[in-house]
Amino acid sequence: MTTNDSLLQRRQTAVPRGIATAMNVFAARAQNAELWDVEGRRHIDFAGGIAVLNVGHRHPRVIAAVEEQLGRYTHTAFQVTAYEPYIALCEKLNALAPIAGMAKSILFSTGAEAVENAVKIARTATKRRAVVAFGGGFHGRSFMAMALTGKTQPYKRGFGPLPGDVFHLPFPIPHHGIGIDRSLDVLHRLFQADVAADEVAAIIIEPVQGEGGFHPAPHELLRALREIADRHGIVLIADEVQTGFARTGRWFGIEHSGVKPDLITTAKSLGGGLPLSAVIGRAELMDAVEPGGLGGTYAGSPVACAAALAVLEVIESERLNTRAATLGERTRECLERFAAREDLLPIGHVRGIGAMLAFDLLKERGGDEVDPARTQGVIRRAHSLGLIVLGCGTQGEAIRLLFPLTIADATFDEGMTLLEQALRIPA
């Protein structure tokens, strides 16, 4: 019996099956875009801890910042005694975020926490109740975040009743036959039939849907939502938990559209592997909640703040926004070559922005019907070859690529070669 098998048996007896792991690999150590398991086997990481590791595993500057902070203090709770790393990070986020006018930030631990608190802020500021989200969107696993998430299985099933006053619009995806006009028409019908526009506190949208399949929100849709929100006094929330911090080639994914949201939720790569999230927003909205209404015991941990400040420095100094755009172009070129090859399984719908790309496995070459079972087979083969990749999409039809932006060119090329091997039609 291998160490992995032993650990798998222990996992099955110690951890509930409600938390799933993508593969039976147990990490021993990792560096940048490479991971070694307890058997000493090397893996190339094209998952990045689900978009947490834009600066890679154990970036030296992040580790150094964490170690320095550990030598000072690990916790005080910001609402008890404030500390410099929290304030410095908020100042940096306020300066970077595409928010109109003065911005303020508050820190939490997870993306779901950020989303929950963004809704609290929007409801308090507007004195309204309803929130509009999109089908296929993912916003977290806590109760309001689950309600906002536009996918039932596995995120909602069996957990109800969920919070009310949440409404979903169809997200425009051309090969699903859904266009921008339909999304906006459903929104206007919603205002007429289910909830008046002046009762809607917020509209929340991912600039690129994450778990829903890496579908970018069309710029025309984002601009229309901005206009509708302005007209009716609705808060526009950009959920940047997966798109933020250079993943799309910009600090924030919504920057590609030129639209400025009222609130932004962030997490994942902000902490460079440590749990940290934030809500950034217009100051007048952020100040609407009375003192004590927001916060959390571990929210904005000083150690995580130190890591985040180092992450932002790495993104700037190593020009990772530019690197994301370059890697994205190389990835798209590879995938389009794969799609044209008849010795590989049929793939299509290559999509995304920057280094946030995905593709579907198809039933037939050149068609639009997806094949989720085939997708899972490719993921398993990639894992057996030593490439860590993840699926996504409302049917599990897509493979998403989230390699660290610091990945070495040779490692990137090796990973794409392994993906090519996983796509080969079995003899």
Side-chain angles (χ1 to χ4, degrees), residues 51 206 208-210 214 216 242-244 247-248 324 328 332 351-358 401-403:
E206 298 164 280
V208 181
Q209 286 199 330
F214 278 33
Q242 197 159 160
T243 51
R247 176 51 56 180
T248 68
R332 190 179 291 274
R351 58 191 178 268
I353 305 174
M356 187 174 181
L357 296 174
L401 304 178
L402 286 168
F403 40 76

Side-chain angles (χ1 to χ4, degrees), residues 22-23 25-27 29-30 33-37 41-50 57 379 381-391 399-404 415 418-419:
M23 56 183 178
V25 170
F26 293 83
R29 62 187 179 90
E34 299 171 276
L35 180 148
W36 289 262
D37 65 21
R41 186 178 179 213
R42 172 177 170 267
H43 305 263
I44 296 175
D45 188 356
F46 270 29
I50 318 179
H57 292 273
I379 291 172
R381 283 198 292 276
H383 291 172
S384 70
L385 293 167
L387 177 68
I388 301 173
V389 291
L390 296 172
I399 292 176
R400 52 179 158 172
L401 304 178
L402 286 168
F403 40 76
L418 293 175
L419 180 59

